[in-house]
């Protein structure tokens, strides 16, 4: 976390954002690995071929608040993938990520990750998913105060056949995971892949009862692609940075998003660091918030971006001068956007109601 970005926030507001119960709906497992967990991996592993110098440089420059473009970010994911190559490590990092979100008072978490196989360690896509589920199960057994669900990520840069394989895996785990695997995410380098090929695959997932969270309009000049993906329609939009006309999007994209009432997972630090948004005050969160459109405050890649769920709320508070009540409402209303049933939503709503006893919303 880099305090320079929110140094104007009062200590009281900072504490409020930390104790506020929160919902996290856009977190990629391997981008969420904290520096502490990375140290554990480095300690445990033979790291031949991993460019640690590059990784350390990244962490150093992010700490200084230096911005990165998306291509640089995608280079870092490659390094993270070189660190996480076996099922024990997948389980360990997932467990740590969940505990860190829980310690930050995230009460409901939807994690997403791209199943990968690494023949040299015997890890298959199937055992990758099992390893994530094991970590979730362990947290449940330990009564960690958080509900966790899992989305399998389709990496668009890996082609449509791999996408279909991932959807088949998601269908299989939807049946066998007792409700933990609930959906499919579309992510990966937005410059790669023709979405005309991917839409039938995504529709197959939807028809099988899986929820769809799709990265849409992450870059400029993707208007036609965005229209195509919105027409499915997805259940949530990741980023949605360039949907509206003021930033080079198109009115029909706004209209479709509103017509289908598709919530937007906004990731302020990630977008500013990734230079797709020039500054926090220009972030599209405010455009959609002012329209009363459902927006969730999310972290994206808390490890690589050195952020946290609380830090993102602090940034929202600092940038838009929101009151505690407004921040509470953003968090509370996010419950409507989770991929779960009414019973779980009601349970969460009552937790939020109870939290009002110690949140001191009026001050
Ligand atoms: P993993 O799926 O390995 O757990 O998490 C890292 C992966 O998530 C990356 O390789 C990339 O495919 C995806 N990812 C993480 N952050 C972003 C983002 O901001 N945009 C897109 N399009 N993909 C991302």
């Amino acid at each position: 976390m880099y305090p320079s970005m929110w140094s104007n926030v009062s200590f009281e507001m900072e504490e409020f954002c930390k104790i506020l119960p929160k919902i996290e709906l856009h977190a990629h497992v391997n981008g969420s690995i904290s520096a502490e967990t990375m140290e554990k991996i480095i300690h445990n592993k033979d790291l031949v071929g991993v460019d640690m110098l590059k990784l350390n440089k990244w962490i150093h420059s992010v700490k200084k608040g230096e911005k990165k473009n998306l291509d640089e970010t995608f280079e870092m994911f490659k390094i993270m993938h070189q660190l996480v190559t076996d099922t024990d490590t997948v389980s360990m990092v997932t467990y740590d990520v969940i505990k860190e979100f829980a310690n930050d008072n995230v009460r409901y978490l939807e994690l997403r990750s791209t199943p990968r196989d690494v023949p040299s360690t015997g890890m298959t896509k199937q055992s990758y998913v099992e390893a994530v589920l094991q970590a979730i199960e362990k947290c449940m057994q330990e009564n960690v105060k958080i509900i966790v669900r899992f989305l399998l990520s389709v990496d668009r840069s890996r082609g449509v056949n791999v996408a279909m394989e991932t959807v088949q895996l998601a269908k299989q785990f939807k049946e066998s995971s007792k409700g933990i695997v609930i959906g499919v995410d579309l992510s990966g380098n937005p410059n790669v892949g023709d979405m005309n090929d991917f839409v039938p695959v995504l529709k197959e997932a939807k028809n099988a009862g899986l929820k769809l969270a799709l990265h849409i309009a992450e870059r400029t000049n993707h208007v036609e692609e965005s229209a195509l993906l919105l027409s499915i329609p997805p259940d949530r939009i990741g980023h949605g940075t360039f949907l509206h006309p003021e930033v080079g999007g198109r009115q029909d994209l706004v209209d479709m998003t509103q017509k289908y009432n598709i919530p937007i997972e906004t990731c302020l630090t990630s977008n500013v660091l990734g230079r797709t948004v020039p500054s926090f005050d220009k972030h599209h969160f405010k455009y959609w918030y002012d329209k009363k459109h459902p927006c969730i405050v999310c972290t994206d890649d808390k490890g690589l971006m050195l952020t946290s769920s609380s830090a993102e709320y602090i940034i929202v508070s600092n940038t838009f001068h929101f009151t505690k009540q407004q921040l509470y409402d953003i968090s509370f209303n996010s419950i409507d956007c989770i991929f779960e049933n009414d019973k779980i939503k009601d349970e969460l709503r009552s937790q939020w109601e109870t939290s009002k006893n110690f949140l001191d919303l009026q001050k």
Side-chain angles (χ1 to χ4, degrees):
M1 253 186 274
Y2 37 121
S4 58
M5 294 230 176
W6 36 275
S7 50
N8 297 333
V9 173
S10 69
F11 177 72
E12 194 193 341
M13 191 53 113
E14 208 180 303
E15 286 305 299
F16 173 82
C17 291
K18 285 182 189 161
I19 59 171
L20 178 71
K22 292 172 284 287
I23 301 279
E24 169 62 75
L25 301 182
H26 189 125
H28 300 268
V29 171
N30 287 295
S32 299
I33 301 173
S34 63
E36 291 75 24
T37 305
M38 271 185 223
E39 267 169 30
K40 278 200 260 176
I41 305 174
I42 293 162
H43 185 72
N44 290 346
K45 264 193 156 180
D46 178 12
L47 291 173
V48 181
V50 180
D51 194 342
M52 289 311 296
L53 192 64
K54 215 171 184 176
L55 183 60
N56 285 328
K57 265 191 183 163
W58 167 282
I59 292 173
H60 187 66
S61 74
V62 169
K63 270 187 188 157
K64 286 202 299 189
E66 286 174 6
K67 299 185 177 156
K68 308 284 169 193
N69 61 31
L70 277 185
D71 290 330
E72 287 169 311
T73 312
F74 279 98
E75 280 302 304
M76 294 317 296
F77 293 133
K78 284 191 196 147
I79 296 183
M80 298 312 292
H81 288 164
Q82 288 169 354
L83 288 172
V84 182
T85 53
D86 61 90
T87 52
D88 284 350
T89 311
V90 171
S91 264
M92 190 263 278
V93 300
T94 307
Y95 176 82
D96 282 6
V97 166
I98 296 170
K99 290 285 290 274
E100 286 155 1
F101 276 117
N103 288 338
D104 194 28
N105 283 312
V106 170
R107 295 277 170 257
Y108 178 92
L109 166 67
E110 284 177 17
L111 282 176
R112 54 187 75 186
S113 195
T114 321
R116 275 181 296 125
D117 45 14
V118 179
S120 61
T121 66
M123 182 164 80
T124 61
K125 289 175 182 172
Q126 167 106 13
S127 64
Y128 184 102
V129 177
E130 284 163 358
V132 170
L133 294 176
Q134 248 175 37
I136 297 173
E137 177 69 34
K138 188 170 172 210
C139 288
M140 281 160 65
Q141 279 168 5
E142 291 176 6
N143 289 321
V144 180
K145 201 175 172 197
I146 189 167
I147 297 173
V148 187
R149 296 293 179 260
F150 185 46
L151 280 72
L152 269 58
S153 296
V154 166
D155 179 346
R156 53 187 286 167
S157 72
R158 293 178 193 221
V160 74
N161 291 337
V162 175
M164 185 49 101
E165 214 185 315
T166 306
V167 166
Q168 297 310 333
L169 207 55
K171 280 163 73 172
Q172 174 201 322
F173 276 101
K174 179 178 178 290
E175 298 310 317
S176 64
S177 69
K178 300 188 197 124
I180 305 294
V181 171
I182 44 164
V184 166
D185 153 61
L186 171 73
S187 52
N189 193 333
N191 282 336
V192 188
D194 181 348
M195 287 307 104
N196 286 298
D197 300 335
F198 283 71
V199 165
V201 178
L202 296 168
K203 281 189 172 162
E204 173 157 349
K206 196 173 165 94
N207 291 338
L210 290 155
K211 298 287 188 184
L212 293 184
L214 310 183
H215 285 58
I216 295 181
E218 230 180 325
R219 281 202 155 166
T220 45
N221 306 326
H222 281 198
V223 171
E224 291 308 331
E225 176 187 289
S226 302
L228 179 68
L229 291 172
L230 286 172
S231 70
I232 294 177
D235 299 285
R236 284 197 315 254
I237 294 169
H239 300 296
T241 315
F242 297 101
L243 288 173
H244 65 93
E246 289 159 38
V247 287
R250 228 170 42 193
Q251 189 55 43
D252 62 310
L253 303 182
V254 175
D255 295 343
M256 269 200 267
T257 304
Q258 288 190 301
K259 179 175 134 197
Y260 297 125
N261 197 30
I262 315 171
I264 304 182
E265 304 154 356
T266 58
C267 310
L268 280 85
T269 295
S270 172
N271 297 155
V272 170
L273 270 180
R275 292 199 218 137
T276 51
V277 173
S279 54
F280 290 131
D281 58 325
K282 304 264 177 354
H283 198 276
H284 52 287
F285 170 86
K286 190 63 170 34
Y287 173 91
W288 292 100
Y289 179 86
D290 287 345
K291 285 191 173 313
K292 302 196 184 331
H293 188 83
C295 294
I296 312 106
V297 174
C298 302
T299 53
D300 203 9
D301 297 292
K302 75 172 181 61
L304 285 179
M305 306 295 175
L306 304 190
T307 189
S308 67
S309 195
S310 301
E312 295 304 304
Y313 272 84
I314 293 170
I315 288 165
V316 168
S317 144
N318 193 27
T319 309
F320 306 115
H321 310 292
F322 283 173
T323 62
K324 289 178 180 174
Q325 183 68 55
Q326 282 172 300
L327 296 175
Y328 174 90
D329 290 342
I330 293 169
S331 170
F332 183 76
N333 293 336
S334 303
I335 298 172
D336 295 339
C337 309
I338 69 172
F339 292 158
E340 256 303 345
N341 59 32
D342 287 343
K343 184 169 173 280
I344 295 208
K345 285 181 181 169
D346 283 342
E347 276 169 27
L348 291 169
R349 288 187 188 110
S350 82
Q351 278 189 42
W352 262 243
E353 281 302 322
T354 310
S355 76
K356 281 181 172 172
N357 296 334
F358 59 81
L359 283 174
D360 217 357
L361 291 175
Q362 306 315 320
K363 261 179 72 186

